[in-house]
Amino acid sequence: MTPGPRESNDEAVLATGFSRALRAAGLDAPPSATIDFALALGLLGITRPEHVFWAGRACFCRRPDDADLYVATFVAYFGHAGVTLPGGRLSTEPRSSLPALAMASGGEPPPADRSDDFRDPVPPVRAAYGAAEILRTKDFGDCTEAELAEVTRFMAQVRRRPPRRRSRRLVVARRPGRGTLDVRRTMRSSLASQGDPFRLRRRVRGTRPRRLVLLLDVSGSMGPYTPALLHFAHALVLTHRGAEVFTVGTRCTRVTRELAWRDTDAALRRVAVAAPDLEGGTRLGEGLASFNRAWGMSGLARGAIVVVCSDGWERGDPSVLADEMERLSLVAHRIIWANPLKGAEGYEPLTRGMRAALPHVDEFVSGHSLEALEGLFEVISK
């Protein structure tokens, strides 16, 4: 193998010289692989010999039979696992001889001499089922305080797309031939062409965020899920301007202003003060009736997406809940019911509250884990 004409620290020169050496040794090293190798070196750097080794192997070895020839060429070109220069760079000057150790390596780089400053290439790390993936599917009721804190951190990173609706305000049409004629903009643009309106400007109806109303059941039966759902509501209020949050237990309390604080702990403390019925009794029908009388029928729920987070355990009269759900369905755009118990195997909505509410629900989803809340986000964004 002929030595290179000069020594350089440039990634492109190193990649080009090494690919020439591979082709001279009989390995297929097309220009596309050389470019990929140079880009990989630009990202990884050339200060670590093991990085150069595995980057080159990923780019140039396309068949299992290529591994032996690649390792032999790498050892001959760089010398063992790489040559460390005083500046911390790899040399592009190839070695003139092929060590016998490389021919017997069996497709892996030879062991480095510990007397030198060489290190063996790091073996590839296999992907594992991590703790983050476990927490995504773990039931909130089974999480410890530390796990729940980690879940809330992941919840803040969930990508949220607020639902939108068509507005009455007209905006500029981006596609030609759609919408109504905008005479003023058409005449103004015709001044550039001596009054010839050869391009017609149009306007279409724009979109605006749709109001979102969140009704959280904070009764005792929802105790294991209340902290996570409050964090969910807090993240929703901070990212969606049209979100309104109410707690429903023995009464209905509006907590949107309390959850608008950016500090999560301060927001939850204010909610605890504003809603004294946390982990109390369950009167969904009466709480929903209070919401409809004070806020829902007066305009807050009109055209909105209403999300009810509850397990459906009703201690009051279920007929009241059915009547109030029917009234709410007449003005709301959609009603989504998130039941944390739905994620349990073999669950059926047999409680009196769920049987009274389900005929008026558009979407019935689970809300027991981070993965379930991500799915709830997608349902809301439809």
Side-chain angles (χ1 to χ4, degrees), residues 110-353:
D113 187 2
R114 295 304 176 184
S115 61
D116 299 328
D117 292 333
F118 306 141
R119 287 177 294 178
D120 295 335
V122 179
V125 179
R126 295 183 179 180
Y129 192 68
E133 187 65 23
I134 296 176
L135 287 179
R136 288 188 69 253
T137 58
K138 190 170 184 179
D139 194 292
F140 291 141
D142 300 331
C143 291
T144 63
E145 292 185 3
E147 291 175 338
L148 190 59
E150 191 71 11
V151 165
T152 56
R153 187 178 66 85
F154 292 146
M155 196 179 300
Q157 301 174 358
V158 175
R159 186 178 179 181
R160 292 168 292 273
R161 294 180 301 170
R164 305 190 67 85
R165 66 176 181 88
R166 295 184 66 186
S167 66
R168 296 182 179 180
R169 178 170 296 184
L170 298 179
V171 297
V172 177
R174 300 301 179 184
R175 296 181 181 179
R178 300 184 62 180
T180 60
L181 179 64
D182 189 347
V183 179
R184 180 176 296 180
R185 293 186 66 249
T186 301
M187 297 304 297
R188 186 184 298 116
S189 62
S190 67
L191 298 178
S193 57
Q194 299 181 357
D196 184 9
F198 69 93
R199 178 176 297 176
L200 300 179
R201 307 290 183 175
R202 296 182 178 275
R203 296 188 298 174
V204 296
R205 291 178 60 179
T207 61
R208 59 179 302 177
R210 185 180 292 277
R211 184 181 291 112
L212 181 62
V213 179
L214 196 62
L215 302 177
L216 298 180
D217 183 356
V218 293
S219 60
S221 60
M222 287 286 292
Y225 303 98
T226 299
L229 292 176
L230 286 175
H231 280 86
F232 169 77
H234 179 251
L236 208 60
V237 170
L238 292 182
T239 56
H240 185 33
R241 294 179 56 187
E244 293 283 348
V245 182
F246 296 83
T247 60
V248 180
T250 57
R251 66 184 71 182
C252 183
T253 307
R254 189 177 187 178
V255 293
T256 306
R257 182 176 298 178
E258 287 74 12
L259 290 174
W261 287 76
R262 189 161 295 276
D263 184 82
T264 306
D265 295 333
L268 296 186
R269 286 195 298 267
R270 291 173 178 271
V271 170
V273 174
D277 56 338
L278 290 176
E279 298 188 4
T282 307
R283 294 190 180 95
L284 292 178
E286 297 179 11
L288 196 57
S290 300
F291 169 76
N292 286 336
R293 287 195 303 267
W295 296 284
M297 298 297 108
S298 61
L300 195 60
R302 293 186 179 273
I305 297 178
V306 180
V307 181
V308 183
C309 298
S310 173
D311 55 3
W313 288 94
E314 173 64 291
R315 294 188 177 182
D317 189 356
S319 62
V320 177
L321 177 60
D323 294 340
E324 297 301 329
M325 286 292 296
E326 183 179 6
R327 293 183 60 194
L328 184 61
S329 64
L330 295 177
V331 296
H333 176 68
R334 276 193 304 154
I335 298 180
I336 304 172
W337 193 292
N339 191 333
L341 302 181
K342 189 176 184 294
E345 185 178 357
Y347 169 79
E348 294 184 8
L350 300 179
T351 60
R352 298 188 305 167

